[in-house]
Amino acid sequence: GLSVVLLALGVFAAWNVNKQQQASSDLFVREMHAMLAIEDLHIEMRDVRYYVNRFLRTDDPQSLIEAFALRNKTDPLLENARSLARRGHEQDLIEIAATGYQRFFAELDRLSAPIISGYVPDSAAPPLRRPSSPELVEEFTVLSDVLLTNEVLTPLRQCISFNQEVVERANEANQQTAQHLKIG
């Protein structure tokens, strides 16, 4: 009888450790995918900011066209980040970034439309330089430095930090499980 109890206890302990290891592994994989999706979006949005800032330095409409071209990459990245976000704080941060993202591109479209309308890039000729008014420069600066940075990039960076914390906590739990397994 005692052998059967010890055998049952051993089987239960092995099943429990296996279940905990699978949960930890699944959590690591999910968090890494979410972190990579958010990081990819963060990188692409920094590139968008680079093109907007390059436009401010050069007045070259091609920079704005390149910023808009990146939206073809950032839209799917945003949807992927949304789909991988877990409930709670992470989803809230992604939604803040998504709202800022929509506002940013709507404002970029509004400010850029008169500049890039009729612009045809010609590699043989130097780019058309249109001196920007101080008001337009100020609006683009606010768009890049305030709206994009504060409402998109900062929440994405916070999301990445949050995911890193979750992975660290899961790692600590996994180490405790290993310690319990060693004692068992």
Side-chain angles (χ1 to χ4, degrees), residues 41-104:
L41 178 59
H42 188 265
I43 289 168
E44 293 300 326
M45 291 308 294
R46 283 191 340 224
D47 289 347
V48 169
R49 182 176 61 186
Y50 164 77
Y51 287 121
V52 171
N53 289 339
R54 189 171 80 179
F55 167 75
L56 285 170
R57 287 190 311 276
T58 65
D59 275 338
D60 183 3
Q62 184 63 35
S63 297
L64 296 176
I65 291 169
E66 290 172 6
F68 276 111
L70 283 177
R71 189 160 190 190
N72 293 332
K73 290 172 75 175
T74 58
D75 281 347
L77 291 173
L78 177 61
E79 289 310 311
N80 190 27
R82 274 180 158 162
S83 70
L84 292 171
R86 294 182 340 201
R87 299 184 192 275
H89 186 61
E90 184 180 10
Q91 262 186 338
D92 294 342
L93 289 171
I94 289 292
E95 287 309 312
I96 290 168
T99 301
Y101 176 92
Q102 298 302 330
R103 283 188 55 214
F104 169 79

Side-chain angles (χ1 to χ4, degrees), residues 116-145:
I116 61 177
S117 66
Y119 171 74
V120 178
D122 182 6
S123 61
L128 175 64
R129 302 282 188 233
R130 299 179 191 180
S132 299
S133 69
E135 296 83 20
L136 188 62
V137 168
E138 177 65 26
E139 286 185 278
F140 271 104
T141 301
V142 168
L143 180 69
S144 173
D145 293 346

